[in-house]
Amino acid sequence: MNAAFRRRFLAALVLGGVVLTPALGAPPPVAQSSDNSRYASIVVDASSGEVLFSRFADARRYPASITKVMTLYLVFEALESGKVKLTDNLTVSPRAASQPPSKLGLAAGQSISLDDAMKATAVRSANDMAVVLAEHIGGSEAQFTARMTAKAKELGMDHTRFTTANGLPDTRQATTARDLSILSRAVMRDYPQYYRYLGLHDWYFNGRDYRNTNGLLATGRGYDGIKTGFTNASGYNLAASSVRDGKRIITIVMGGRSTASRNAHVAELMDTGFEVQRRRGQGERIQVAQAFFEQRGYGISADPNPPVEYASASDEDGEGVGSTAVAYVAGPPPATLPTEVTPPPSARATPRASAPVQRAEARTPENLTASLNGGSSTRRSTSAAPARSTRDAARAPSGRWTVQVGAFREEAVARDWLNDVSRRFRTQFTDAQRDVQNANGWYRSRFTGMTEAAAQAACETLSERRVTCMVIRPS
């Protein structure tokens, strides 16, 4: 039933004196995301595959970090076939080390077990570890993503194409809410023994606890997986699974406006889905669950049918765990998705880490900026400091305190990250000046010219959002 027909049907019911009344205490029907061109959603009974509700479920969208579910699916497949073991040691390549945040931050040449790499990918949503896994299984990320697309077709994900293993922006990489529901069902159906990775609440590594980016896991409402995702082009995505009274429902929401609103919307859709199941269990005849959802105001607005926005920047998962504003692919998407992909070679040699480090943050991820700053008293070289923007130079500093938010091997990455943090936390850095300082080959992303109170407050806010920061006293 298309949107136009549903509107005419509802109008006819109203004119005929028939009113679809929401449950007592429920809010009146309101249009859902009619002005949000990135929005899509679907609610599915995991056991039967019945679609309880859908909204733009077949519209082309960007998966962002939900991509990592397919990456892990192929790792699970390799584990079950015996091609790899949980104890395998994987070497971080320069390409993997250079991935933008969110990341674990191991340097090129360092190693990590396959088990920990999977946990980093699932819990931390680590872009670098997703590439490490792809290279270990497929020989290269390109060969691995060809496998990902082939597997998607095999599973029935007819509108999905993968070009990255971690979901960082690429206009060629696209999917639909319906396809992601198929993937979610497949991973828990085909590899129940490994599905637990996608439901880990936290993970301890090298002296640090990492919390899952999926905040619904800790709500006590039966949520047990599976993955969040965010880029500027995709909006806030979430594939969620919940089990209540022996029944499992999968809900996919794409294009949310914030982490909080996305999570709340997923919870509302999930609760409504379980209400359908409960009423059916009590003998109530609900033949078309979509109508039940629409009585509560979900999915009754006009169909905007917009084009997909092109990706230009990543803000990984949108959970405050790190991002960058590096520009990626900006060309138009292909008219059709490929029907065939070249299978990867049988050789799976781990790439050598012989090239110089393109972008490794530090060997000790527990407090990145503290370890790089070495006590915070290092003076910068004035000859190495880049020129500030005209606006920053014209503004008189309000203090001499500094907040450092990262350190990178590439100046462009450091500057992009600084600009991105400034955009996301503009209130905290209104009167600060942005500066990238070079110290022994590390480019430090810093906000300078702050008062002590402003610097402490800003760093506290960033820490609450799990963005690494450090307050530096005047030298």
Side-chain angles (χ1 to χ4, degrees), residues 66-342:
I66 300 181
T67 296
K68 297 181 175 89
V69 177
M70 179 60 87
T71 298
L72 289 170
Y73 183 99
L74 292 185
V75 178
F76 299 159
E77 183 179 68
L79 279 167
E80 187 174 66
S81 66
K83 294 180 180 178
V84 296
K85 300 189 298 292
L86 290 174
T87 55
D88 285 354
N89 280 321
L90 285 56
T91 302
V92 179
S93 70
R95 176 180 173 80
S98 70
Q99 297 300 301
S102 171
K103 62 190 296 179
L104 194 58
L106 297 185
Q110 288 188 279
S111 63
I112 185 172
S113 71
L114 186 135
D115 178 55
D116 279 331
M118 288 197 299
K119 290 174 179 175
T121 302
V123 176
R124 173 68 168 169
S125 196
N127 293 322
D128 50 354
M129 293 300 104
V131 173
V132 167
L133 290 170
E135 292 174 340
H136 185 69
I137 302 295
S140 71
E141 185 180 13
Q143 292 167 342
F144 186 81
T145 56
R147 287 190 185 185
M148 293 170 69
T149 301
K151 180 58 68 174
K153 296 294 181 289
E154 180 182 322
L155 294 175
M157 301 167 63
D158 295 332
H159 302 287
T160 296
R161 181 189 182 190
F162 293 108
T163 56
T164 73
N166 49 29
L168 285 171
D170 188 326
T171 57
R172 299 168 298 171
Q173 179 149 308
T175 188
T176 66
R178 190 183 308 277
D179 280 4
L180 292 182
S181 73
I182 293 172
L183 175 60
S184 299
R185 289 187 70 208
V187 72
M188 56 186 72
R189 176 196 68 218
D190 299 342
Y191 303 107
Q193 71 274 37
Y194 298 122
Y195 172 66
R196 61 183 176 83
Y197 281 92
L198 292 162
L200 292 171
H201 289 224
D202 50 59
W203 166 60
Y204 185 81
F205 180 76
N206 275 4
R208 178 176 178 180
D209 275 311
Y210 295 93
R211 290 178 296 171
N212 199 303
T213 57
N214 182 0
L216 291 179
L217 292 175
T219 61
R221 298 284 291 160
Y223 292 97
D224 63 356
I226 50 181
K227 193 71 189 72
T228 62
F230 176 85
T231 66
N232 289 337
S234 73
Y236 292 82
N237 298 343
L238 175 58
S241 167
S242 181
V243 179
R244 303 175 195 174
D245 299 324
K247 296 183 181 295
R248 182 190 295 275
I249 288 179
I250 295 168
T251 297
I252 312 293
V253 166
M254 309 184 75
R257 298 188 183 281
S258 68
T259 301
S261 64
R262 175 203 66 191
N263 288 355
H265 187 49
V266 168
E268 291 169 354
L269 292 176
M270 194 75 82
D271 289 346
T272 305
F274 280 112
E275 185 179 356
V276 170
Q277 302 288 42
R278 178 180 59 80
R279 292 194 177 197
R280 284 176 170 175
Q282 294 173 348
E284 186 173 342
R285 295 185 64 185
I286 302 177
Q287 295 182 338
V288 183
Q290 178 84 19
F292 188 90
F293 276 81
E294 290 182 358
Q295 289 181 43
R296 282 147 181 77
Y298 299 110
I300 62 174
S301 61
D303 185 349
N305 193 27
V308 175
E309 300 175 26
Y310 293 138
S312 62
S314 169
D315 194 2
E316 186 61 49
D317 272 358
E319 303 290 344
V321 292
S323 66
T324 182
V326 178
Y328 293 91
V329 178
T336 58
L337 297 178
T339 57
E340 296 183 2
V341 294
T342 303

Side-chain angles (χ1 to χ4, degrees), residues 320-381:
V321 292
S323 66
T324 182
V326 178
Y328 293 91
V329 178
T336 58
L337 297 178
T339 57
E340 296 183 2
V341 294
T342 303
S346 57
R348 296 182 292 104
T350 305
R352 294 176 301 169
S354 57
V357 177
Q358 297 179 27
R359 181 181 159 230
E361 293 193 345
R363 291 179 180 271
T364 305
E366 181 171 2
N367 192 331
L368 173 62
T369 51
S371 63
L372 292 176
N373 200 60
S376 77
S377 61
T378 304
R379 301 177 189 269
R380 66 185 175 103
S381 171

